[in-house]
Amino acid sequence: VEKVEFDNTKITSTYKHYILRIHKIIPVADNVGLNLAFSTNNGSSFTNVATARLYSRVGGGPSSGHEHQTATTDGLYLGYSLGNDADIGQSAEICIFGSQDTNYNYFDVKGFISGKHTSEHYTWWVSGYVNHAKTAINFLKLSFTSGNIAKHNLSLYGIK
């Protein structure tokens, strides 16, 4: 599939917060990024999200660092240079706080992703803020920066 979407029948005002658990997601292509985009108009357009990441290589030689991405409608940038080797893929847990709160212009998104980078296994801790201009979010889109999703297994939980 090209993307996984949760529309306004899943993202509703019934829940203030959401947790997206990605048990496994594997790209068809190698060396791609994974994004989570947010919409206030059921996917017609997407809101700006700024992302900050800390990362660390798991095993092998030491490698760690941090980076940030300026606000973009591509969404929360979960990881980069992700690989599709040996069906390893990536796993993640993303917490979406206050996506239905119309008293503020921004809400926070935090989480972690771990799995196969193109050359090594990495863990990323991500944080972002979503500019939703005091309008409730009603649509999420999970996609790779290019190519399709080869396999995925995920769950979305709403919290009142």
Side-chain angles (χ1 to χ4, degrees):
V1 296
E2 180 184 351
K3 58 196 170 222
V4 176
E5 297 175 330
F6 298 96
D7 65 14
N8 62 3
T9 64
K10 303 283 189 256
I11 308 297
T12 70
S13 60
T14 301
Y15 303 105
K16 287 180 72 172
H17 316 287
Y18 288 88
I19 295 175
L20 176 60
R21 277 205 181 124
I22 303 170
H23 307 286
K24 186 67 69 178
I25 190 164
I26 301 171
V28 169
D30 214 359
N31 201 25
V32 296
L34 181 61
N35 293 326
L36 178 62
F38 302 83
S39 174
T40 59
N41 55 19
N42 206 33
S44 294
S45 63
F46 293 91
T47 61
N48 278 322
V49 179
T51 305
R53 281 181 305 285
L54 300 173
Y55 61 88
S56 181
R57 183 168 37 203
V58 179
S63 176
S64 62
H66 60 87
E67 54 201 16
H68 63 87
Q69 180 182 8
T70 56
T72 173
T73 57
D74 292 339
L76 184 70
Y77 195 46
L78 298 174
Y80 63 94
S81 298
L82 301 176
N84 61 356
D85 299 345
D87 283 341
I88 295 171
Q90 296 76 39
S91 299
E93 182 168 293
I94 309 300
C95 298
I96 303 165
F97 301 101
S99 65
Q100 304 304 303
D101 194 338
T102 58
N103 292 314
Y104 303 100
N105 283 321
Y106 297 93
F107 66 86
D108 292 327
V109 182
K110 295 176 179 24
F112 65 88
I113 181 171
S114 63
K116 183 72 165 112
H117 185 274
T118 357
S119 58
E120 301 282 344
H121 290 271
Y122 275 82
T123 297
W124 294 267
W125 293 269
V126 297
S127 180
Y129 66 86
V130 180
N131 182 351
H132 63 107
K134 297 184 178 182
T135 306
I137 295 296
N138 63 5
F139 191 93
L140 301 174
K141 177 178 75 171
L142 185 65
S143 61
F144 287 109
T145 52
S146 65
N148 287 344
I149 299 170
K151 297 178 184 176
H152 70 284
N153 179 356
L154 49 91
S155 303
L156 180 69
Y157 302 96
I159 302 170
K160 290 188 176 185

